[in-house]
Amino acid sequence: PAPEGLEIVPVDPHDAGLVREFAETVARGFAPPEVPAREVDVELMMRCARHPRCTGVLARINGQAAGAGSLELFDGLAGLFGLSVLPQVRR
């Protein structure tokens, strides 16, 4: 079952704060827990979140970012990418 307090938020590409939270969550999910996300990775994911064919989603548990990912739709094809879950909420 889904954890209590789970919320899935679509990322509005015009909401700078939400785009940043999404991008940092994706980047932190790929980095070791003790290493902060690299700004170059955050910037890349921000560009993805703003791309017109992409839809980003952010998962929060009790208001705290837990994971994020992207979906791109183009010409009848779908691509999932940049999905990560923060170490403290895995499993």
Side-chain angles (χ1 to χ4, degrees):
E4 282 192 41
L6 176 66
E7 172 188 27
I8 305 297
V9 180
V11 177
D12 176 351
H14 304 291
D15 181 334
L18 187 55
V19 167
R20 179 83 190 185
E21 182 182 10
F22 161 84
E24 287 177 351
T25 301
V26 172
R28 285 182 24 233
F30 284 109
E34 66 280 356
V35 177
R38 298 180 323 161
E39 189 60 26
V40 66
D41 296 329
V42 173
E43 290 290 330
L44 173 63
M45 292 316 301
M46 288 174 64
R47 289 177 64 197
C48 292
R50 292 184 178 125
H51 192 281
R53 290 193 312 250
C54 291
T55 300
V57 293
L58 175 68
R60 293 182 181 139
I61 299 176
N62 298 322
Q64 298 295 314
S70 299
L71 165 71
E72 179 179 2
L73 299 173
F74 180 71
D75 200 25
L77 300 173
L80 300 171
F81 62 95
L83 175 64
S84 71
V85 176
L86 298 181
Q88 64 268 28
V89 293
R90 291 180 186 157
R91 298 185 187 212

